[in-house]
Amino acid sequence: RQEMVQALAGYYGMETESLANRKFPPEAVDAIPQEVAKRYRIMPLSLSGNTLRVAVGDPSDINLVDAIRHVLPHYDIEPVVA
């Protein structure tokens, strides 16, 4: 599984991040309404200033980041493959 994640990330020019044993900072979790996280299948990982780092399950969805930016316009979205 990890090899596939690495290959996908490399192909789409994204970083990877493991969700195993990860703690999710409350400020990042609170930045994304639960219905948005479910609809777009994203997981908030960190919030630094206005940069919201999110794990995405499908990096091939070229409209995903634009859709998230539209729904969460106050943040710079930084997607990673998980």
Side-chain angles (χ1 to χ4, degrees):
R1 162 116 168 93
Q2 188 59 30
E3 290 174 357
M4 184 176 73
V5 169
Q6 290 286 344
L8 280 171
Y11 183 79
Y12 290 102
M14 295 181 172
E15 294 181 26
T16 63
E17 193 148 339
S18 174
L19 300 180
N21 302 316
R22 180 175 179 86
K23 294 184 180 178
F24 300 94
E27 63 274 7
V29 173
D30 292 343
I32 301 179
Q34 187 175 10
E35 63 273 5
V36 171
K38 284 182 180 181
R39 180 182 333 143
Y40 295 107
R41 297 180 52 193
I42 58 175
M43 178 67 68
L45 300 176
S46 65
L47 178 61
S48 178
N50 285 345
T51 301
L52 180 60
R53 188 173 174 99
V54 297
V56 299
D58 183 6
S60 69
D61 185 347
I62 59 173
N63 298 314
L64 177 65
V65 174
D66 287 338
I68 297 167
R69 287 182 178 137
H70 180 74
V71 175
L72 302 170
H74 303 296
Y75 298 106
D76 294 322
I77 305 300
E78 182 181 305
V80 299
V81 181

